[in-house]
Amino acid sequence: MKKIYTFLLTVVFCTNYFCQVTTTVNPTIAQLTQKLSGNGITITGLSKTCPTDAYALYSGGTGILSTLSSGILLTTGSALDVSPSSLGLLDTDNGAAGSQLGDDLDLSGSGSQDACYIKFLITPSCHTLSVNYVFASSEYSDFVGGTFNDVFGFVIDGPNPAGGNYTQSNIALVPGTTLPVSINNVNNGVGFSAFGIPPSGPCMNCAYFQDAPPGIGYGGSTTVLTASTSVIPCQQYTMTIGVWDVGDGSYDSGVFLDVNGISCVNSPTITAVSSPSTICGAQTITLTAGGGIAGGTYTWTAPPSGGLVSTTGPTVTANPSATTTYTLLYSDVNTCPGIPLTKFTTITITPPPAISISQSPAGAICAGQSVTLTANGGTGTYSWSPGTGLSTTTNSVTIATPSITTTYTVTKSLGACVSSTVITVNVNSTSASITPSVSSICAGQTATLNSSGGGPFAWTASSGANPPSTGTVVVSPVTTTTYSVLIGSGTCTASAVATVSVISSPSVAITPSLSTICVGQSVALSAS
């Protein structure tokens, strides 16, 4: 009977509620430790016993998770099933084994399966530990009162302030009772989600029950609950947090743990902030600690990529060379000797945002025509220069109407990240003129012709060879010649003409008064 409802139950959940929680499966031990570590406690030696997809970091919690918007998720199925990209099929048998602790927590004696649990050492600097959580299950509310009761627990071992020791003591209890939180202990009776029948009693601690919680794909859940216990400051405890299928591997359950969830009650609060939190390339950042008391000590640590300029004090600077997580350690007279409070802050280095420019229409334009320039770089603040001929200098799209060929630079800023690129709008000339160095030459002499405009140039001559296709040409005609130049291409052309006159060389004749003379005589020479 349990298997019959699997598909229909999923359709109801994902039709009525869009799954909004996002998950990142298989986080590292360091990430799990960081997410668990709250005020006044130190966590070491964390280990996990979970299939790869069964544990995750989650964020974007809404609805019942609005106050637990991010943290750690442990499931008996796949943590991917509660993400918005999944189909919400919360009925994954991940094939994992059970465990002795899961069997011990199972009051029905059916045996545990699909275990997912984390185990770690915890040292508090206070008298009371607490953790906020939500337990959710797809066994709600079809199997209330039955033997298919998935279990979970926050189990602690260590010295009991009242005497003796805690031995596998489950602190996840229904408020004001000694009952463990479970499907049979927190519910509003049986309902059949497959047929749209909500639970309608009798109530079993139903003030702590949420039917079909929005934002997650489980059939029901608890409200946000707090597990707490008395401890001896500065003593070490072992804690195990986990969830197990019971009886069979069908219908998943999960427990959502608040970010920095395990904390000391009334412990001093410290914070660590990096400013800015995202940079591009070489840049100095400022790390600032908050909280603590006068006389407390602050120590910062980071890998070599962190580039810490100094390591002590509430405010330090750093020059990171890569994305880096900085650790703040804080101690005062109230903390355990050698066990400082710990906070983390991460600085992310991102590459400059990619940016390109497109021109429409493409190609050269005539003077007076316009093109659209579009910077393709996504969100950010844009700046164009020079502003000459542009409709705007602050948008990603601008209209360019340059009078001459112009190179434009667009710069995009996104936080501390800045990048730029250039584009040249070519403007063809629509006017032309020719300036000759001289207008008249003798045969064999040369003249220089200078043309205006940006080209290209096409010369023709009324006689002799055509000059080369350059803006300035040197000519040496043998007869008077008219030169024409065509400037530009396509529809953007202009022409001009100039004439170089060639003057004929004058003839000279000499006439003597006598053709023959004697020695000592003279003769008159006449030139004409």
Side-chain angles (χ1 to χ4, degrees):
M1 179 175 181
K2 188 173 184 180
K3 294 283 187 180
I4 294 177
Y5 303 135
T6 301
F7 174 74
L8 293 175
L9 192 64
T10 299
V11 170
V12 171
F13 290 163
C14 289
T15 299
N16 293 337
Y17 301 106
F18 180 73
C19 302
Q20 298 180 24
V21 170
T22 59
T23 55
T24 303
V25 298
N26 197 25
T28 65
I29 295 296
Q31 288 174 315
L32 292 173
T33 301
Q34 180 177 341
K35 290 294 183 181
L36 279 175
S37 299
N39 292 322
I41 60 109
T42 299
I43 291 176
T44 57
L46 188 145
S47 64
K48 57 179 174 57
T49 304
C50 294
T52 299
D53 291 349
Y55 66 106
L57 305 182
Y58 76 88
S59 60
T62 59
I64 200 67
L65 294 178
S66 59
T67 57
L68 266 64
S69 59
S70 65
I72 296 173
L73 169 63
L74 307 177
T75 77
T76 62
S78 173
L80 295 172
D81 290 346
V82 296
S83 68
S85 60
S86 75
L87 297 176
L89 302 175
L90 304 188
D91 185 26
T92 299
D93 186 345
N94 59 39
S99 72
Q100 184 59 54
L101 180 57
D103 294 343
D104 295 340
L105 294 171
D106 169 30
L107 302 179
S108 70
S110 301
S112 63
Q113 299 183 39
D114 294 341
C116 180
Y117 58 91
I118 55 178
K119 186 175 182 180
F120 49 90
L121 300 175
I122 182 169
T123 304
S125 61
C126 58
H127 294 277
T128 304
L129 280 179
S130 70
V131 56
N132 297 326
Y133 68 95
V134 166
F135 171 67
S137 179
S138 289
E139 293 190 342
Y140 277 121
S141 289
D142 305 57
F143 303 103
V144 169
T147 57
F148 295 110
N149 244 224
D150 293 349
V151 297
F152 83 105
F154 298 159
V155 178
I156 190 169
D157 293 88
N160 188 335
N165 290 287
Y166 294 119
T167 302
Q168 290 194 355
S169 177
N170 184 9
I171 63 173
L173 305 177
V174 177
T177 75
T178 58
L179 295 173
V181 173
S182 68
I183 294 169
N184 281 348
N185 289 338
V186 178
N187 60 72
N188 193 29
V190 177
F192 294 98
S193 300
F195 307 109
I197 303 174
S200 57
C203 171
M204 176 63 74
N205 298 304
C206 59
Y208 309 113
F209 172 68
Q210 171 71 57
D211 183 48
I216 55 177
Y218 292 101
S221 74
T222 67
T223 58
V224 176
L225 298 177
T226 300
S228 62
T229 189
S230 297
V231 290
I232 300 174
C234 305
Q235 295 295 305
Q236 191 175 77
Y237 294 81
T238 300
M239 180 171 281
T240 304
I241 301 176
V243 61
W244 294 259
D245 271 338
V246 167
D248 63 10
S250 298
Y251 281 3
D252 303 335
S253 296
V255 58
F256 296 84
L257 306 175
D258 194 9
V259 63
N260 297 330
I262 304 178
S263 300
C264 276
V265 176
N266 299 322
S267 173
T269 299
I270 61 170
T271 59
V273 178
S274 56
S275 179
S277 59
T278 299
I279 63 174
C280 288
Q283 185 175 342
T284 299
I285 65 168
T286 300
L287 303 171
T288 304
I293 63 174
T297 60
Y298 302 88
T299 303
W300 299 86
T301 64
S305 62
L308 281 168
V309 176
S310 58
T311 58
T312 58
T315 302
V316 299
T317 58
N319 299 294
S321 59
T323 296
T324 303
T325 296
Y326 296 89
T327 303
L328 170 64
L329 305 175
Y330 171 78
S331 299
D332 62 27
V333 295
N334 299 308
T335 60
C336 299
I339 306 177
L341 306 185
T342 305
K343 281 292 180 183
F344 305 91
T345 185
T346 300
I347 179 74
T348 302
I349 296 184
T350 63
I355 183 172
S356 61
I357 307 176
S358 59
Q359 174 185 320
S360 179
I365 62 173
C366 303
Q369 293 182 329
S370 299
V371 292
T372 299
L373 303 180
T374 302
N376 303 297
T379 58
T381 301
Y382 291 87
S383 175
W384 296 82
S385 66
T388 305
L390 296 181
S391 62
T392 177
T393 59
T394 57
N395 294 335
S396 61
V397 179
T398 187
I399 306 299
T401 314
S403 58
I404 60 174
T405 295
T406 304
T407 297
Y408 293 100
T409 300
V410 63
T411 300
K412 175 192 168 185
S413 301
L414 183 61
C417 302
V418 178
S419 61
S420 63
T421 191
V422 299
I423 188 171
T424 298
V425 178
N426 292 298
V427 179
N428 288 331
S429 173
T430 56
S431 64
S433 64
I434 301 174
T435 304
S437 59
V438 291
S439 59
S440 298
I441 63 173
C442 295
Q445 292 181 326
T446 62
T448 300
L449 305 179
N450 292 299
S451 63
S452 64
F457 305 92
W459 292 86
T460 57
S462 61
S463 64
N466 292 330
S469 300
T470 58
T472 299
V473 296
V474 177
V475 296
S476 182
V478 296
T479 63
T480 295
T481 303
T482 298
Y483 294 93
S484 301
V485 65
L486 181 68
I487 301 175
S489 61
T491 60
C492 304
T493 60
S495 61
V497 295
T499 299
V500 177
S501 298
V502 179
I503 302 172
S504 299
S505 298
S507 60
V508 179
I510 301 174
T511 304
S513 59
L514 295 171
S515 60
T516 302
I517 63 173
C518 295
V519 176
Q521 291 182 322
S522 63
V523 65
L525 300 177
S526 299
S528 61

